Amino acid sequence: MRSYATSLLLFGLLAPSRAATVAHDLREEIAARDCCQTLQSQLGPTAVLFPGSAGFQQLVNSYYSAQESEIISQCRVSAHSAQDVSDAIKIITKGGCKFSVRSAGHMTWAGAANIQAPGVAIDLKQLNGVNVSADKKVVSLGPGGSWGPVYDALDPFNITVVGGRSNTVGVGGFILGGGFSNLSPAHGFASDNVVNYEVVLADGRIVNANKTSNPDLFHGLKGGSTNLGIITRYDVNAFPLTPKWGGSRGYNVSQGPAIFDAMIKFIKKLPQEPLGGGSVVWGYSEDLKNDTIFGSFAYLGADATESKAQLFSEMLDVPPTFDTIRTNTDQQWLDSEVDVAFPGGLRRIFSTLTLKVDREIAEGIYRKSHDAFAGLVGKPGVSWTASFQPISITHLQATERAGGTPQGLSPEDGDLILLNLNTVWVEESDDAAMQAAVRDVINWGTKEAKRRNVLHPWLYINYALPDQKVYESYGKANVDALLKIKNKFDPKNTFGKLWKGGFKL
């Protein structure tokens, strides 16, 4: 029996190259339909959802960015257990179907954790458990949870974890990419505090990876993205819950240099008291119709006013235009300030650079951003922020104590500044212009930082554009080590061929 593409070719309606493409597309569509039907037959109708159903649309609408919510897969596997993920992987890989994996869906660029039909989406949002060990030293977290509910669940136990600074950020992607926390100056990345991963491998096996079982995989998963396995549970260190002091302060944009200098002094104090988190954010606010600057503050020690005043003294000396700082508050309230400033459901992209501590490059990036977005401000929903976040040497020392990272950072790098250029807009028609402006800023910042000898090569995967060279930034030795781990646990490169999204080795 002739295929549809063959028939068109014989009648002269398709060029040979186009016929091959159509035939390939048809094979993918047929394979995807077969995969979805088999998945539904084996996992059940409530676990495999199709476009048009309420359950399917509810999951798609829960992505953080509008770009991800617009992508419609062939079907969606709503996994409720590691076994569901294992069964799905066996069916999907046997059928040769392309797929994506979503934990909570906070990455912003289209296709980061979603896939267009005929691809199949594996959704881990229902894997959102929070379980505390009997001795309250370890917390087991499902990848589909978000940090607000995690903190709520841990409060009655009087413990916390190295988690996100937004209530809506997901557990899985946050830890998988490293994870910056207000606890990072004392305890490093969130990934430094993982004691065990439960992982589904490319052949569908469910294994544990820790310091004694699959230790190479355990190390690799701290920089593995979508290459080594699908993590279905994170077991992480717990720490005593302490009162929080913090909030935000706004400033006149002309005070930018002063507040940035004050942040540098704050960074230099962290080795004596690594209990504070903060950032300086320059940008354009649609609400204010003007450029703005604000600082975020978090102090995690006991409610010792003298201590936190000393740690943040220079930053607190700069006169604010508004002040939301509270004493004796909690992480959820601190995170809510971020959630109000950076809401979901809009068109959004992140981009990143890592810099040595230098005020002039930060000022330059602000000015370049102001110019690059000048023709776009005033369009519906357009805002941008350049957030400068410290990576203290105490953070990198904690990472080293935990066994190091394959991401290419060490205490020898000294104090660093992480840039997150966060842009938001509403209209799809503005996509190209916004993306061009972002790349203009990042390209300028890269060249200028190199010229000033203040560029660090590392790129933070959770903030990176899809075409930023994340793995190249880890260094050849780390990439070679990760490839060796990948070849051991996925010798057929199944995930490389079929798992779309994330960053690939």
Side-chain angles (χ1 to χ4, degrees), residues 205-264:
R205 284 182 296 146
I206 304 171
V207 303
N208 285 288
N210 50 57
K211 288 184 177 180
T212 57
S213 178
N214 300 308
D216 48 356
L217 180 61
F218 176 67
H219 183 71
L221 287 169
K222 297 176 188 296
S225 189
T226 57
N227 294 284
L228 306 180
I230 301 172
I231 300 169
T232 51
R233 193 187 74 238
Y234 296 85
D235 300 332
V236 303
N237 290 321
F239 299 96
L241 184 65
T242 59
K244 308 291 191 301
W245 169 97
S248 301
R249 277 188 160 200
Y251 305 95
N252 186 288
V253 74
S254 65
Q255 295 171 301
I259 192 64
F260 201 88
D261 281 343
M263 187 176 78
I264 292 173

Side-chain angles (χ1 to χ4, degrees), residues 55-127:
F56 183 99
Q57 198 57 47
Q58 183 179 13
L59 288 173
V60 169
N61 289 345
S62 65
Y63 281 93
Y64 179 58
S65 77
Q67 299 101 302
E68 281 280 72
S69 292
E70 291 169 352
I71 297 173
I72 304 300
S73 57
Q74 187 77 25
C75 65
R76 198 163 198 92
V77 178
S78 180
H80 287 70
S81 68
Q83 190 61 53
D84 283 352
V85 178
S86 172
D87 292 341
I89 285 298
K90 290 175 183 176
I91 293 167
I92 289 169
T93 56
K94 183 178 179 180
C97 296
K98 294 175 182 176
F99 69 96
S100 65
V101 179
R102 186 273 278 268
S103 294
H106 207 269
M107 283 290 281
T108 58
W109 47 273
N114 202 357
I115 190 168
Q116 187 67 45
V120 176
I122 299 176
D123 199 305
L124 308 182
K125 199 164 179 63
Q126 299 305 315
L127 289 176

Side-chain angles (χ1 to χ4, degrees), residues 396-411:
L396 300 179
Q397 288 166 342
T399 296
E400 187 174 62
R401 289 194 300 272
T405 171
Q407 297 193 26
L409 289 168
S410 79

